[in-house]
Amino acid sequence: MSEDLTPTYVETGKAFERDMNYVPDRITAGARRPEHGPVAGELWPVEPGRYRLVAARACPWANRTIIVRELLGLQDVISLGTPGPTHDKNSWTFDLDPDGLDPVLGIPRLKDAYEKRFPGYPRGITVPAIVEESSGLLVTNDFPWITHDFFFEWKEYHRPDAPDLWPAHLREEMEEVMQRIFTEVNNGVYRCGFAGSQETYEAAYERLFAALDWLEERLADRRYLMGEAITEADVRLFTTLVRFDPVYHGHFKCNRNKLSEMPNLWGYARDLFQTPGFGDTVDFEQIKAHYYVVHTDINPSGIVPAGPDLSGWTTPHGRG
């Protein structure tokens, strides 16, 4: 197995397009057909202690699953495995654990769980992923539905004061907000960073900052994206915002301004960061190591910047 640490993300002359083909299995109460969303794969039953969430703290898509698990109080119901921040072209690895093995699954690479379920798995080995502990089989890596189902399908096991992350009366608008956040912000920073031409980069840059300006205005008269309570929309935006100044501003050339120079977004991001379940899931050192070491096509030296100063995240946000 190759140990080549040079995955390629930039295609010369092309705009970045994210591969959104994931293993479409879902975990539902009683393995029943869910009320929301597609069923393109197998259904697995909700069962405490059966599954392990594998989610690297460096990855924004994985970070959102860690946050939702914390907010809902599912820590004792679904275990958590955390790969290290760097990976080769083959797999995320458990290099932070003793002997480089996940202590529950006993594997050195997340790829082992993918291959055990799908020998010769042809797509990327991505986090987050849910693995069945007893068999070591991958269940799903379909990240938008993992957090959705944590809320809707694992309700019996939520802590008593868990937040309503998907309020029924706001859901239609929230879906529209989250879709724009995904296409223009969550994925928008990657379109900037992995642009293969000046033209595709500048188009991506304009789209990203148009969306950030929209969010800055939206947050001028409300504490959170949907009003006065935290929802899934806030989780999805937060994981990009918390990486913006340490990574995306410089590494991905998203440099019209820093997050800390947008007053409403900066106050909002600090408000979330200081909320239990958000900032305590963030590891800035792992975040920087992941992007600057793994993306050798845009940072061939592998040097990780010493800055920026991140002490501002714990300063008063004034949004209470």
Side-chain angles (χ1 to χ4, degrees), residues 181 185-186 215 225 233-241 265 268:
I181 287 170
V185 181
N186 299 149
L215 289 164
L225 285 171
D234 299 298
V235 177
R236 296 186 179 197
L237 178 58
F238 172 79
T239 58
T240 296
L241 296 184
L265 273 167
Y268 161 82

Side-chain angles (χ1 to χ4, degrees), residues 5 8 37 50 133-134 142 147 162 185 215 230 236 247:
L5 290 168
T8 301
R50 180 170 177 173
E133 291 187 3
S134 61
D142 199 351
T147 53
V185 181
L215 289 164
I230 290 170
R236 296 186 179 197
V247 174

Side-chain angles (χ1 to χ4, degrees), residues 47 74 84 91 113 123 125 135 140 209 221 232 274 286 288 301 309 319:
E47 186 178 319
L74 295 174
S91 184
R123 316 196 81 86
I125 307 301
S135 67
T140 183
F209 281 99
D221 59 359
E232 170 94 6
Q274 294 167 34
Q286 288 195 40
K288 293 201 298 182
S301 70
D309 179 5
R319 293 181 66 85

Side-chain angles (χ1 to χ4, degrees), residues 19-292:
D19 181 357
M20 290 295 291
N21 291 295
Y22 297 100
V23 177
D25 291 17
R26 293 175 63 182
I27 301 170
T28 65
R32 59 167 177 74
R33 184 176 181 86
E35 294 180 13
H36 309 291
V39 180
E42 295 182 25
L43 293 174
W44 299 63
V46 164
E47 186 178 319
R50 180 170 177 173
Y51 305 105
R52 187 160 179 81
L53 171 64
V54 179
R57 296 185 185 278
C59 169
W61 319 102
N63 191 181
R64 71 164 65 166
T65 63
I66 299 174
I67 292 170
V68 170
R69 175 178 171 271
E70 292 278 333
L71 292 176
L72 299 178
L74 295 174
Q75 299 94 319
D76 295 331
V77 179
I78 303 167
S79 69
L80 176 65
T82 53
T86 60
H87 61 79
D88 59 29
K89 63 167 50 174
N90 289 294
S91 184
W92 292 86
T93 56
F94 295 99
D95 47 287
L96 300 179
D97 293 308
D99 300 320
L101 299 174
D102 179 90
V104 171
L105 302 174
I107 56 176
R109 296 170 178 266
L110 179 56
K111 184 175 184 176
D112 296 338
Y114 278 70
E115 291 279 350
K116 192 168 186 179
R117 173 91 188 275
F118 303 107
Y121 184 75
R123 316 196 81 86
I125 307 301
T126 62
V127 289
I130 293 184
V131 179
E132 186 179 41
E133 291 187 3
S134 61
S135 67
L137 296 171
L138 173 75
V139 175
T140 183
N141 61 348
D142 199 351
F143 69 89
W145 292 105
I146 289 175
T147 53
H148 174 282
D149 292 343
F150 278 179
F151 179 77
F152 284 101
E153 302 298 332
W154 292 80
K155 273 186 178 293
E156 181 181 352
Y157 304 100
H158 291 182
R159 60 182 173 85
D161 59 344
D164 182 359
L165 296 179
W166 293 79
H169 67 292
L170 295 174
R171 177 159 185 169
E172 183 175 354
E173 182 189 1
M174 192 173 87
E175 294 274 16
E176 294 174 357
V177 169
M178 290 193 301
Q179 180 62 22
R180 187 171 181 184
I181 287 170
F182 171 72
T183 59
E184 306 305 297
V185 181
N186 299 149
N187 201 41
V189 292
Y190 287 86
R191 277 200 305 270
C192 290
F194 297 150
S197 70
Q198 188 70 35
E199 292 74 20
T200 58
Y201 161 71
E202 290 181 5
Y205 176 99
E206 293 299 326
R207 284 179 62 179
L208 169 65
F209 281 99
L212 290 175
D213 288 341
W214 162 67
L215 289 164
E216 175 74 4
E217 182 177 352
R218 183 179 181 90
L219 290 164
D221 59 359
R222 64 185 79 198
R223 184 172 182 182
Y224 304 113
L225 285 171
M226 303 309 302
E228 296 308 306
I230 290 170
T231 65
E232 170 94 6
D234 299 298
V235 177
R236 296 186 179 197
L237 178 58
F238 172 79
T239 58
T240 296
L241 296 184
V242 81
R243 287 161 175 76
F244 199 89
D245 287 2
V247 174
Y248 302 143
H249 179 270
H251 184 58
F252 278 177
K253 306 178 185 68
C254 303
N255 62 354
R256 190 194 74 179
N257 51 259
K258 296 178 179 178
L259 173 67
S260 58
E261 295 167 346
M262 303 186 79
N264 297 330
L265 273 167
W266 177 224
Y268 161 82
R270 296 192 334 269
D271 188 0
L272 291 175
F273 185 87
Q274 294 167 34
T275 300
F278 284 86
D280 46 9
T281 71
V282 173
D283 188 315
F284 285 117
E285 293 307 311
Q286 288 195 40
I287 288 169
K288 293 201 298 182
H290 170 68
Y291 286 90
Y292 285 102

